[in-house]
Amino acid sequence: MRAGGAGCPAGLLLTFGWLLLVGLQALQAVNVTAAPETGGGRDGENESEVDEEAENDSDVSENEAQGEPEEEVQNKTIVKEVEFGMCTVTCGVGIREVILTNGCPGGESKCIVRVEECRGPVDCGWGKPLSESLESVRLACVHISPVNRFKYMWKVLKPDQQPVILANDSAVLEVQRELHPMAFECDTLDNNEIVASIKFTVYTTNELQMRRTSRPDTDAVLVFVLTIGVIICIFVIFVLIFIIINWAAVKSFWGVKASTTEIHSEMSSMRYKDSTSLEQSPTDMPGHEDDALSEWNE
């Protein structure tokens, strides 16, 4: 009985120990499975943080992308703040200045950016020769530098006839004077488009001499008139300056002159009164004589 009773508690202890080991192993397995789950949560948090950082980076890039166009727009507005100078010609083709009014270097209010081409009406009417003598005349087409950029077409104009195109295609044409006056026309072409047209009249030698002799010498007269006008203006200015500087003396002088005129006027008035009184005294005398005679008769 004791041997059997002693064997039972030993078996129970072994069974309890085995169950305890099994329970510990099960607990360890549960802890191992839980650890990956917690690690997965941390990975999710890291992934969410990465996504937020990516979103922030995208927002920053969008802001930068929005900022760059604004800067470009500002730069464009600065470039557009320009003025255009006057064209060097009133017809044909010329040049003008492009002036920047904002953003000039050195704090200047205005600065010249570039020089560009400008155009006016094509027809320039009748022009003057470049140079002339009694034998020949040099005519020039309308153009700007560089001269070889354009094409030139010279024509001889005849009344009631088609123009005759000349072989000369340069910008300057030299013509010898003939027995009859002649008319020439030059067309300036840019890309086969007429941008300027000008006409000239070439007179004969006799006509040129007659025009020179019959032309009044207005230049000398104009110079003389302008000189006299300038001298008079300078004299008036000096007189005004002298009066302003010596105003007190001028005022006293005019006061003395005014007083003398008043004295003269008073003296003249007194003389007039005396003369009138003398004129009236003879008329009064007969009356007194009559009274005396009447008293004597009585």
Side-chain angles (χ1 to χ4, degrees), residues 45-91:
E45 291 177 356
N46 293 329
E47 289 178 357
S48 63
E49 291 176 356
V50 170
D51 294 335
E52 290 178 356
E53 290 178 356
E55 290 177 356
N56 292 329
D57 293 336
S58 63
D59 293 336
V60 170
S61 63
E62 289 178 357
N63 293 327
E64 291 178 353
Q66 292 176 356
E68 289 177 356
E70 290 179 356
E71 293 178 356
E72 291 178 357
V73 170
Q74 291 178 356
N75 292 330
K76 289 180 180 179
T77 55
I78 290 172
V79 172
K80 289 181 179 179
E81 292 179 359
V82 296
E83 292 180 355
F84 297 97
M86 294 293 293
C87 191
T88 56
V89 294
T90 57
C91 65

Side-chain angles (χ1 to χ4, degrees), residues 22-38:
V22 171
L24 292 171
Q25 291 178 356
L27 289 172
Q28 290 177 354
V30 170
N31 291 329
V32 170
T33 54
E37 290 178 356
T38 57

Side-chain angles (χ1 to χ4, degrees), residues 202-239:
V202 178
Y203 297 97
T204 63
T205 304
N206 295 329
E207 288 177 343
L208 182 62
Q209 290 177 348
M210 290 177 63
R211 287 171 63 87
R212 287 181 177 180
T213 54
S214 62
R215 183 182 301 170
D217 194 4
T218 57
D219 294 336
V221 176
L222 182 62
V223 170
F224 177 76
V225 172
L226 290 176
T227 304
I228 296 298
V230 170
I231 291 171
I232 292 171
C233 291
I234 293 172
F235 177 75
V236 171
I237 290 169
F238 274 109
V239 169

Side-chain angles (χ1 to χ4, degrees), residues 286-298:
H288 292 290
E289 290 177 354
D290 293 335
D291 293 337
L293 291 172
S294 62
E295 290 178 355
W296 177 262
N297 293 323
E298 289 178 357

Side-chain angles (χ1 to χ4, degrees), residues 69-253:
E70 290 179 356
E71 293 178 356
E72 291 178 357
V73 170
Q74 291 178 356
N75 292 330
K76 289 180 180 179
T77 55
I78 290 172
V79 172
K80 289 181 179 179
E81 292 179 359
V82 296
E83 292 180 355
F84 297 97
M86 294 293 293
C87 191
T88 56
V89 294
T90 57
C91 65
V93 59
I95 57 174
R96 65 181 178 182
E97 295 177 348
V98 180
I99 303 170
L100 183 64
T101 59
N102 189 8
C104 294
E108 297 180 358
S109 59
K110 292 184 179 181
C111 54
I112 298 174
V113 180
R114 64 181 183 276
V115 177
E116 66 179 14
E117 179 183 310
C118 60
R119 295 185 182 182
V122 174
D123 190 4
C124 293
W126 295 87
K128 294 182 179 180
L130 187 64
S131 63
E132 60 180 345
S133 63
L134 294 176
E135 292 79 17
S136 63
V137 181
R138 295 180 74 238
L139 311 175
C141 298
V142 178
H143 64 277
I144 58 173
S145 183
V147 180
N148 56 1
R149 172 189 165 186
F150 303 97
K151 292 182 179 180
Y152 308 98
M153 183 184 297
W154 287 97
K155 304 175 185 177
V156 178
L157 303 179
K158 295 183 178 182
D160 300 330
Q161 294 183 11
Q162 291 293 330
V164 179
I165 299 175
L166 301 179
N168 192 340
D169 58 354
S170 60
V172 178
L173 176 67
E174 186 171 358
V175 181
Q176 299 294 325
R177 297 187 186 275
E178 297 185 2
L179 299 176
H180 302 283
M182 299 182 65
F184 294 86
E185 181 181 2
C186 179
D187 295 335
T188 304
L189 293 86
D190 185 14
N191 294 325
N192 295 326
E193 179 185 359
I194 298 176
V195 297
S197 178
I198 189 169
K199 303 178 183 68
F200 301 95
T201 300
V202 178
Y203 297 97
T204 63
T205 304
N206 295 329
E207 288 177 343
L208 182 62
Q209 290 177 348
M210 290 177 63
R211 287 171 63 87
R212 287 181 177 180
T213 54
S214 62
R215 183 182 301 170
D217 194 4
T218 57
D219 294 336
V221 176
L222 182 62
V223 170
F224 177 76
V225 172
L226 290 176
T227 304
I228 296 298
V230 170
I231 291 171
I232 292 171
C233 291
I234 293 172
F235 177 75
V236 171
I237 290 169
F238 274 109
V239 169
L240 292 175
I241 293 171
F242 177 79
I243 292 171
I244 292 169
I245 293 172
N246 302 293
W247 175 246
V250 173
K251 189 175 181 181
S252 63
F253 174 76

